[in-house]
Amino acid sequence: MTSLAKRIAGCAALALATLAASAQWSNPSDDVPAYNALPASKPLPPVLSGNQLAGPYFAHPYQVTVYKMAAKIPAVLHQEPCYCRCDREMGHNSLHSCFEGTHGAACSTCMKEAVYSYQQTKKGRTPAQIRAGIEHGDWQNVDLEGATL
């Protein structure tokens, strides 16, 4: 190996080590889960409703309430991320996806974010403003048992 090749290899190794070490200083809030920045261009799949809100996933009244809230603001939920990271594990593309099935009823993160989104929508906030609050973690203080329509 020539001297120049050794220098290039050494620089490459140093660059890789620096890149790997810098990950510990990255800001996790920069890693926002999947969401849709724009309103849906076609009808969204329905949020579970009616008789679908029964059974083992709906053992607590607040689970039904959250789904009813979600059904009132589907377009908003479509534009919100979900910090339970279901985009990675389940292929969800927004908070709306969580309420198309029973996942939302089994996940306190999904439910708290949906209640937060509903409450903020009632206050006149835009989906972008709500998303900023979700990214900030404001949903974490939501009291699910106290949630009302």
Side-chain angles (χ1 to χ4, degrees), residues 136-149:
H136 185 258
D138 296 346
W139 57 271
Q140 294 175 7
N141 296 321
V142 167
D143 173 21
L144 290 174
E145 292 189 16
T148 58
L149 286 166

Side-chain angles (χ1 to χ4, degrees), residues 53-124:
L53 304 180
Y57 285 100
F58 298 96
H60 303 284
Y62 64 82
Q63 292 165 307
V64 173
T65 299
V66 173
Y67 271 75
K68 288 179 178 180
M69 288 177 171
K72 291 184 179 290
I73 58 164
V76 173
L77 298 183
H78 173 74
Q79 295 184 65
E80 306 306 333
C82 182
Y83 275 91
C84 82
R85 303 296 180 167
C86 52
D87 59 330
R88 294 179 183 166
E89 302 299 323
M90 302 176 80
H92 288 177
N93 72 1
S94 70
L95 184 56
H96 183 278
S97 300
C98 304
F99 296 93
E100 295 168 18
T102 57
H103 171 74
C107 179
S108 64
T109 298
C110 300
M111 287 188 283
K112 286 182 176 187
E113 287 184 15
V115 170
Y116 175 80
S117 296
Y118 177 80
Q119 291 170 340
Q120 296 302 305
T121 298
K122 297 280 284 177
K123 291 179 181 178

Side-chain angles (χ1 to χ4, degrees), residues 14-36:
L14 180 60
L16 285 174
T18 301
L19 182 62
S22 70
Q24 66 182 322
W25 291 291
S26 67
N27 185 353
S29 67
D30 291 340
D31 183 23
V32 179
Y35 69 91
N36 300 284

